[in-house]
Amino acid sequence: MANKIDGKKISQEIKDELKAEVEQLRENGVVPCLAVIQVGADPASTVYVGNKKKACEYIGIRSLAYEIPEETTESELLALIDELNNNDEVNGILVQLPLPSHIDENKVIQAISPLKDVDGFSEKSVGAMTIGTNGYLPCTPAGIIQLLKRSGIEISGKNCVVVGRSNIVGKPAALLMLRENATVTICHSRTKDLKKICSEADILIVAIGKPEFITADHVKEGAVVIDVGIHRREGKKLCGDVKYDEVEPKAGYITPVPGGVGPMTIAMLMENCIKAVRK
Ligand code: NDP
């Protein structure tokens, strides 16, 4: 039976550490402030934005909510970002993705000042992460590193396979594992013999976006399995990209869904907000 990596507990630890930091900042008259922009009313985005607001409240970060209509034009959104970039009271800006199809997501991401880019998606943040200088790390991959470290799992020298190469999860997760001295392989939809490559991993990070795709055949006995996927299915329980019931008995450590990577993403966003104050 695998050790369950408890993302809920670890994220709570981090949030409590950050709360103490914010108390100190507030004693010195500094109140961190995060602006959260949601365009339209996608139900999943509403849940994510709500959770971010709740975390801000818990930690003592002031949050400014901009819930703007689906019909908002790209130039209106860019104007709002410009206004927030120039507002000294705002430390961090987050635009909830996905955006409606008439808005160019990349243009919006790049419009956020690199000093306020708490999602870590801008070219400057990605560049800093790639060369290893100080910058905002993307929240989900940074959360994965914290899950591993705070569970006492050695990364250095380990064989790590990342399945998925998106800009928000797969690629940055691979880069951060490399920074921690793992030997990293990245797999994607064109990878040949995925099962063989995965089954050689000491640490397997899965971010494919396909429910229960990874089965016991993909996993080495005793491996650490990090499941980033999250799927809401009609009439069924929430699940990840990994077939948990089948993989869990074989793995050494595993993250559940829910309660694994998900809560860490928000904890790391909060950490970036406090980092933004120091910048
Ligand atoms: P994307 O759809 O952007 O990327 C999926 C990646 O998986 C692509 O690189 C794709 O390859 C690869 N892939 C797809 N099918 C296969 C296959 N059969 N074999 C190997 N690789 C494959 O997804 P995201 O990275 O944005 O998200 C992944 C999952 O993580 C989703 O379920 C998402 O909901 C979840 N997620 C969870 C978060 C959290 O906080 N817990 C945060 C962000 C995402 P190719 O590039 O070749 O197309």
Side-chain angles (χ1 to χ4, degrees), residues 163 194-195 198 204-208 210-219 225 227 240-244 246-247:
V163 193
L194 184 72
K195 272 190 186 165
C198 289
L204 180 62
I205 299 176
V206 188
I208 314 183
K210 294 198 165 144
E212 299 187 328
F213 182 89
I214 297 290
T215 60
D217 294 347
H218 291 86
V219 176
V225 179
D227 186 357
D241 288 347
V242 174
K243 202 163 194 174
Y244 187 88
E246 201 179 281
V247 171

Side-chain angles (χ1 to χ4, degrees), residues 161-166 170-171 185-195 197-198 205 207-208 210 213:
V161 173
V162 180
V163 193
R165 56 172 167 181
S166 72
K171 263 186 233 164
T185 306
I186 306 175
C187 299
H188 46 77
S189 64
R190 314 282 173 88
T191 298
K192 292 204 171 74
D193 213 351
L194 184 72
K195 272 190 186 165
I197 299 172
C198 289
I205 299 176
I208 314 183
K210 294 198 165 144
F213 182 89

Side-chain angles (χ1 to χ4, degrees), residues 3 20 66 70 119 126 137 197:
N3 291 299
Y66 293 86
E70 179 94 20
D119 250 342
V126 175
L137 299 179
I197 299 172

Side-chain angles (χ1 to χ4, degrees), residues 64-85:
L64 302 178
Y66 293 86
E67 281 144 18
I68 58 179
E70 179 94 20
E71 309 74 60
T72 304
T73 63
E74 187 180 283
S75 53
E76 283 166 339
L77 178 57
L78 291 173
L80 172 60
I81 291 173
D82 190 47
E83 185 192 313
L84 295 170
N85 280 342

Side-chain angles (χ1 to χ4, degrees), residues 11-12 43 85 93 100 105 116-117 140 169 175 190 195 228 239 245 248 255 276:
S11 69
Q12 188 60 47
N85 280 342
I93 303 170
E105 234 166 61
K116 301 189 180 188
D117 171 35
T140 303
V169 189
L175 278 166
R190 314 282 173 88
K195 272 190 186 165
V228 184
C239 77
D245 292 345
E248 187 269 345
T255 57

Side-chain angles (χ1 to χ4, degrees), residues 6 9 27 34 51 53 59 67 79 84 103 116 119 128 141 147 170 185-186 194 197 204 223 239 244 257 259 265 271:
D6 190 344
K9 180 165 157 268
E27 273 166 26
L34 171 69
N51 289 341
K53 277 194 233 158
I59 290 169
E67 281 144 18
L84 295 170
I103 299 178
K116 301 189 180 188
D119 250 342
L147 278 180
T185 306
I186 306 175
L194 184 72
I197 299 172
L204 180 62
C239 77
Y244 187 88
V257 177
T265 300
E271 186 172 284

